[in-house]
Amino acid sequence: MRIAKPTALALTTVGALLAAAGTAAAGGGSPAPNPTPTGDGAHVLCKRVPKIEKRIERALDRLGADAAQRGSVARLAKRVENAKAAGHTEIETYLNDKLTFRRSLVPTLEKRQKDLTSVKTWCKANSNGSKK
C-alpha cells in the first residue's frame, strides 16, 4: 500500500502535464510564415523618423566626444596609446582594429543623417507615407 500512493500521485501528475501539453500543441503549432511585403513600409518609417534622428545624433555625439566619454573615438585612441606604451602589442592590435571600425562609423552615420533628412522631407510632402 505504501508504494501505491506515490505511484498514483506521479501518474496523475504526468497525465495532467501531458493533457496540458496536448492542449498547447493543438493551439496552433508553428506560426504562419510571413507574407511577402506589399509595400515599402513608408508609413512606419515616417513614424519612426524622430526616434531614428535622436539615435543617430546621440551616437555621433558620443563618438565625437573627448576621452572622458565612454564609446568615443578619442577614448579608444587613448587606450591604444596606453597599450602601445605598456608594450602590449596584442592588445594594441585588437584595440587599433576596433578604433579603425569606430572611426568608419562616423561618415556612415553622417550619411544616414543626411539620408534621413531627405526621408523627413518626403514624409512631410506625402502625408507621412499613408496611402490615403
Side-chain angles (χ1 to χ4, degrees):
M1 247 356 210
R2 194 170 186 127
I3 296 175
K5 284 185 182 179
T7 305
L9 180 61
L11 287 174
T12 305
T13 305
V14 168
L17 289 173
L18 288 174
T23 304
S30 63
N34 290 336
T36 56
T38 56
D40 61 356
H43 179 67
V44 176
L45 181 59
C46 289
K47 203 170 160 183
R48 292 187 46 81
V49 164
K51 288 183 181 182
I52 297 169
E53 277 181 326
K54 286 179 187 175
R55 184 178 298 135
I56 291 173
E57 287 173 19
R58 223 176 25 239
L60 285 171
D61 288 345
R62 183 180 62 246
L63 289 170
D66 63 357
Q69 174 68 40
R70 294 176 76 183
S72 70
V73 171
R75 183 180 182 108
L76 190 53
K78 181 67 175 158
R79 288 179 63 196
V80 170
E81 290 174 22
N82 291 345
K84 187 175 185 176
H88 301 153
T89 55
E90 291 82 6
I91 304 299
E92 178 193 358
T93 303
Y94 174 77
L95 292 176
N96 207 14
D97 290 344
K98 196 172 176 180
L99 179 61
T100 302
F101 173 74
R102 194 168 292 175
R103 283 184 176 144
S104 75
L105 281 176
V106 175
T108 301
L109 288 172
E110 288 171 344
K111 172 115 174 62
R112 281 194 190 160
Q113 194 173 37
K114 182 181 165 196
D115 292 345
L116 196 61
T117 303
S118 300
V119 169
K120 188 176 184 180
T121 304
W122 183 91
C123 289
K124 284 182 182 177
N126 291 286
S127 64
N128 283 331
S130 62
K131 292 183 180 182
K132 295 177 185 176

